[in-house]
Amino acid sequence: MLFAYSPAAHRSACAWKQRERQSKIDSLPAEYFTPLSLTEQKIHSLSLSQLVSQYIMLAYAKRTLQAHNHTNCVTDFLFDEALHIPAVANWGPGVDPDSASSVDSTRDRLLMGVPVSIKDTIDIAGHDSTVGFSRTSSAIVRLLQDAGALVHVKTTIPTGLLAIETTSDIFGYTTNPYSKAHTAGASTGGGAALVACGGSKIEIGTDIGGSVRIPAHFCGIWSLKGSMGRFPNWGTVSSMPGLESVPICKPWDYDHTCIPLPWRPVDLHDEGRKLKWGVIWDDGTIPPTPACKRALSCVVDALRAQGHEVVTFNPPNIPETLNVGYELVFSDGGAQIRDSLLPFETLGSLTGAVMDLLSLPRLFKKFLAFITRSRDPLSANLIDSMHTKTILQERALIARRDKYRAAWHDQWRDEGLDFVLTVPHALPALARGSSEKATLMSAGYSFLFSLLDYTSGVMPVTFVDKDVDALPENFFSSPRYQSLNTIAKGAYSVYDAATMHGLPVGVQVAGRRLEEEKVLEGMKVIEGALCKKGTVFAGKIKM
């Protein structure tokens, strides 16, 4: 047993898993490695409802391998297995499409032939989930397979999950589809990279603090984080599914934790009324960098041009609330992450920095907070709060969180808002290895809505422009920079419009709790407004 925890054993285990993945690639039929035919290229342009062709798996398998070679985004391949689940294998030439039973089957198999990738933390029977071997499939996987989806791959995640870059000892680094020098985001970074490259139509991920929304922002795709209990999560490591959640079947039949709430049709266009949008321009910790702020401003201008009401929304103290959230996430002092690691397993630099802070003696952190407070109270409060909590302290934090939820609810209602808009993250996709300087606090814009348990989604808007989005000349010696807190200064130190040129930037759209249908429709309203203004996002990835 001692040998199993040696550095050599850890390296050997990682190398074995890498070889296993490569052997699966090498064992695939040669046709998977040929260029896409004209027919297969046409398949990629089909909508979800049109994806019912027998050629789909081959076309998406090819694109998946191209995406993996380009970004290193896949952990496990299930191409052949995806075609042999009963819902797909039992549907063929012998089925009478006009029979009553066939009609019922078609209604039940709303995702027939749709390629769906799965984040590696989600269990699929007979496959590893990096945290262990799965003997049963998670609720969401069983639901998808019963609906006819082609669950064809599992995608990469970072060690410890709480990160902005997707990297691990086992599978290495997942790069951004638009630039190998930048990250795809985390923790659903592999799934976002795969969807952006066209290797999957839908990725099922998890989202505690932005794990599907931040990668979507970095990679230029759509995403949705549902409220707790709306979508199945039984059989997953984290608690919130995302990147694109599927309004099908009765998820509560698969997962006892789901709320029995059917999907409700919402058509904001047919309602004909103009909507009221609140905008949070700054979370009080890190002001959005120029490219991200421009994307948000572009959406605001487009909505106003269509007659919608857009107002600045100033909810109760956001930094204080986020601090409560960080205290709750790390109330165990990092023990859950630490205990899940092998003795010689390495964390990413960002997660490692957080664990180092948590490990410092409490007295030293109090002293550090004391000498910092006068010039940077926000950083001081964070340093002072990052320690293991007692049960009573954790309950008090939950009470403070719930009080904030009530205040937010009241203000949203009193101002008559339909949606709230923010940037998804303070920065575009970060350069490799720079997330430690950006810190986890840069995820505050997405973490906020997880803390509230509000539905929120991210959609792409435009791209970084090195000329338009550059910081002002001499910015780092300007009074504006000097007025920033230490956390914001660190984040701005990694912003470079020149090297980030061409990376996607998006907007976050939030509704209230359990308003998944409405948020998706709100995103469509934004898309329509941008189109009428002449802003159409068209991702072009060279592989």
Side-chain angles (χ1 to χ4, degrees):
M1 289 300 293
L2 291 175
F3 175 74
Y5 291 97
S6 68
H10 174 61
R11 289 193 297 270
S12 176
C14 291
W16 174 82
K17 190 63 181 177
Q18 292 163 10
R19 289 194 300 272
E20 181 190 51
R21 177 177 64 172
Q22 188 59 46
S23 69
K24 289 190 176 184
I25 296 174
D26 295 340
S27 64
L28 292 169
E31 61 182 344
Y32 283 128
F33 297 92
T34 60
L36 270 69
S37 66
L38 289 176
T39 300
E40 290 160 351
Q41 291 178 23
K42 290 179 181 178
I43 289 173
H44 274 281
S45 67
L46 297 178
S47 66
L48 290 181
S49 61
Q50 296 170 313
L51 283 171
V52 291
S53 166
Q54 61 178 327
Y55 303 107
I56 291 172
M57 191 68 263
L58 178 58
Y60 273 85
K62 289 181 177 182
R63 186 56 62 87
T64 293
L65 288 169
Q66 292 173 353
H68 177 65
N69 290 334
H70 183 58
T71 64
N72 186 38
C73 59
V74 177
T75 65
D76 202 352
F77 298 86
L78 297 80
F79 298 155
D80 187 61
E81 185 176 326
L83 297 173
H84 287 87
I85 61 168
V88 176
N90 296 337
W91 185 262
V95 177
D96 179 2
D98 296 321
S99 69
S101 61
S102 177
V103 172
D104 291 339
S105 295
T106 303
R107 187 182 299 115
D108 292 339
R109 298 173 184 178
L110 297 178
L111 290 179
M112 177 62 71
V114 177
V116 178
S117 51
I118 302 292
K119 186 175 181 177
D120 200 62
T121 55
I122 299 174
D123 288 344
I124 299 179
H127 294 268
D128 293 338
S129 292
T130 52
V131 291
F133 183 78
S134 307
R135 297 189 181 279
T136 59
S137 292
S138 65
I140 186 66
V141 169
R142 288 184 282 112
L143 184 153
L144 289 166
Q145 291 176 333
D146 286 351
L150 301 176
V151 178
H152 63 307
V153 290
K154 300 189 76 176
T155 56
T156 53
I157 58 171
T159 306
L161 296 183
L162 291 172
I164 302 177
E165 299 178 77
T166 293
T167 184
S168 68
D169 288 350
I170 300 177
F171 296 114
Y173 196 96
T174 299
T175 58
N176 190 288
Y178 290 87
S179 167
K180 288 184 177 294
H182 293 82
T183 180
S187 60
T188 317
L194 182 65
V195 172
C197 290
S200 181
K201 275 293 183 183
I202 299 171
E203 162 85 7
I204 301 299
T206 57
D207 190 323
I208 292 177
S211 291
V212 299
R213 288 163 289 158
I214 292 172
H217 166 60
F218 286 179
C219 294
I221 60 173
W222 289 52
S223 69
L224 178 70
K225 178 204 76 68
S227 296
M228 287 289 289
R230 191 65 201 273
F231 302 120
N233 67 70
W234 194 254
T236 69
V237 171
S238 295
S239 57
M240 298 180 187
L243 260 195
E244 185 90 25
S245 296
V246 188
I248 59 172
C249 307
K250 296 178 180 179
W252 51 90
D253 286 345
Y254 292 81
D255 184 347
H256 66 282
T257 66
C258 275
I259 299 169
L261 178 64
W263 194 259
R264 302 156 294 183
V266 175
D267 193 330
L268 299 176
H269 287 98
D270 282 354
E271 289 180 10
R273 69 182 180 89
K274 297 304 179 182
L275 304 169
K276 187 172 182 179
W277 309 73
V279 183
I280 298 176
W281 294 100
D282 189 332
D283 71 353
T285 302
I286 305 175
T289 50
C292 296
K293 186 174 182 180
R294 180 170 62 84
L296 180 57
S297 297
C298 187
V299 170
V300 168
D301 292 344
L303 289 170
R304 282 177 173 158
Q306 296 304 310
H308 296 287
E309 184 180 2
V310 185
V311 299
T312 297
F313 182 52
N314 295 307
N317 194 315
I318 295 178
E320 181 181 325
T321 307
L322 289 173
N323 202 63
V324 170
Y326 299 136
E327 289 191 73
L328 283 169
V329 169
F330 297 107
S331 62
D332 65 346
Q336 194 170 29
I337 294 176
R338 197 178 295 111
D339 292 348
S340 68
L341 299 174
L342 291 172
F344 303 99
E345 192 170 9
T346 57
L347 291 166
S349 60
L350 174 58
T351 313
V354 173
M355 299 300 289
D356 289 343
L357 176 60
L358 289 166
S359 299
L360 291 174
R362 179 79 192 282
L363 186 62
F364 177 76
K365 282 185 282 193
K366 279 190 166 294
F367 173 73
L368 189 60
F370 174 76
I371 62 175
T372 306
R373 198 173 304 279
S374 60
R375 68 177 187 276
D376 191 351
L378 191 148
S379 298
N381 289 339
L382 183 66
I383 293 169
D384 193 29
S385 65
M386 296 290 275
H387 59 85
T388 304
K389 304 296 188 294
T390 65
I391 293 176
L392 289 178
Q393 288 172 330
E394 187 171 17
R395 288 177 179 173
L397 287 170
I398 292 171
R400 288 175 61 191
R401 180 205 64 190
D402 291 346
K403 185 177 180 181
Y404 182 80
R405 285 179 173 180
W408 183 287
H409 171 273
D410 292 346
Q411 189 168 340
W412 186 302
R413 178 201 59 211
D414 294 345
E415 296 194 23
L417 300 178
D418 288 292
F419 301 100
V420 166
L421 303 172
T422 75
V423 298
H425 191 272
L427 300 109
L430 303 172
R432 291 183 62 162
S434 65
S435 60
E436 185 176 353
K437 291 182 179 178
T439 76
L440 277 178
M441 310 307 114
S442 64
Y445 293 94
S446 57
F447 181 50
L448 176 65
F449 295 106
S450 293
L451 195 63
L452 293 167
D453 195 25
Y454 277 13
T455 303
S456 57
V458 166
M459 59 181 290
V461 177
T462 186
F463 298 92
V464 179
D465 186 302
K466 64 183 188 321
D467 298 320
V468 177
D469 299 320
L471 290 169
E473 191 175 353
N474 301 319
F475 172 78
F476 292 102
S477 59
S478 69
R480 182 185 171 197
Y481 175 75
Q482 297 304 323
S483 68
L484 297 176
N485 59 68
T486 302
I487 295 169
K489 287 178 179 176
Y492 268 74
S493 73
V494 300
Y495 177 76
D496 184 346
T499 59
M500 292 175 170
H501 180 77
L503 292 174
V505 280
V507 67
Q508 181 172 218
V509 185
R512 287 184 288 188
R513 190 167 182 270
L514 300 171
E515 288 189 340
E516 289 75 18
E517 304 93 332
K518 186 176 179 180
V519 168
L520 284 174
E521 288 300 313
M523 293 163 77
K524 292 179 184 178
V525 169
I526 292 173
E527 183 184 39
L530 289 170
C531 285
K532 290 178 180 178
K533 197 171 181 288
T535 303
V536 178
F537 183 90
K540 296 180 180 179
I541 297 170
K542 297 178 181 179
M543 289 190 289

